[in-house]
Amino acid sequence: MLNFKIVLLLLVGSVVYGSNLVAEEGQPVAIRHWPDGGVTIETMWNFHVGAGLTADVKKLLPKSIDFEVESMDEGASITVGRLPNQLKVGVVDNLDHEFDSEFSVEELEARQETLEANLNSIELSWAMARGAFSLKADGVQVGGLNGLKPADVEALLEEIKNAVPRVLKESDGIENHCLCVVATSQDFSPELLSQIASVGKPEVIIVNANVESVGGSKVEKIEHNTLVISSFGKRKKETRFVSLGTKPYEMSDELKDLFAKKEAACAASRGMFAKLSVEQMNFKPANGSHTPRWNA
């Protein structure tokens, strides 16, 4: 079993000074809530990760997942990614060598630089401890707590409170980041959710639909199951509490018709470009406009 302090500080380090393991900071990340507390997270470039998904829920997904958090060993921290136009998922172990017991910011930064050299496409970093997970992508960090009991969450929050001051002292300060915590378990009381907000200071906490308010803040009720977040722009000072449904958004008939017309136009465009040779697709107009390949 890996030292829990190492995994904890990977989580804390992400909260304190963000992560270099990003494809394009500011790109939106979609978080979808499914029945029985299941969660899927999808990047702008279609990397799709799932956690807590039952066999029945997997049948409801609009597309298959690229990686499932439950496939990891307990206490593991990895980076997963997929190169453009490839189906194979690459995996790098973040903890493939021994660290000193006093895990330092410098060691973590050195490890991140190594990972950047190994994976230069979409990069997701996972850390699991005591049933919790952490995902980082495109400047966004998502923490999942549904696998924990309330007492375990309280213990984790206490350890984070004790660890943050030392990491802050060793770092150059807090960088802008967007942190979202998934805490939709029915066992999580408004009081516990308030503690999570106080310690982690996340941008958003996704809560159970039965929770009406947390610490005086009214919960935003969203009927469909998707929340999109981004690290772009300034962070809000106060944590948002949001509840999601468990069914995807359904377009109106008018919007469905517009999308059908768009898809038809794209199909016609692809049919035209398919007739061009490689040289024609790479042709650069003298006026400096884009190649046919770019437009395709």
Side-chain angles (χ1 to χ4, degrees), residues 5 13 18 30 97 105 136-137 171 179 195 230 232 245 253 272 280:
K5 288 185 178 180
H97 63 278
V105 170
K136 290 174 284 183
S171 71
L179 174 63
Q195 290 181 49
S230 169
F232 181 78
D253 291 339
M272 180 188 69
Q280 289 172 320

Side-chain angles (χ1 to χ4, degrees), residues 181-203:
V181 173
V182 180
T184 60
S185 171
Q186 295 183 358
D187 296 331
F188 295 164
S189 66
E191 291 75 21
L192 180 58
L193 295 169
S194 181
Q195 290 181 49
I196 296 171
S198 176
V199 175
K201 295 178 171 54
E203 187 91 5

Side-chain angles (χ1 to χ4, degrees), residues 21 27 36 45-46 48 68 71 98 100 122 134 140 142 144 149 158 160 176 187 200 215 227 236 238 264 274 278 285:
L21 303 179
Q27 291 283 12
D36 302 318
W45 300 107
N46 295 323
H48 199 205
E68 190 168 9
S71 67
E98 294 295 327
D100 294 333
I122 303 166
S134 173
V140 169
V142 181
K149 296 179 180 179
E158 191 63 32
I160 289 176
N176 183 49
D187 296 331
L227 179 70
K236 292 183 173 64
E238 301 295 330
V278 174

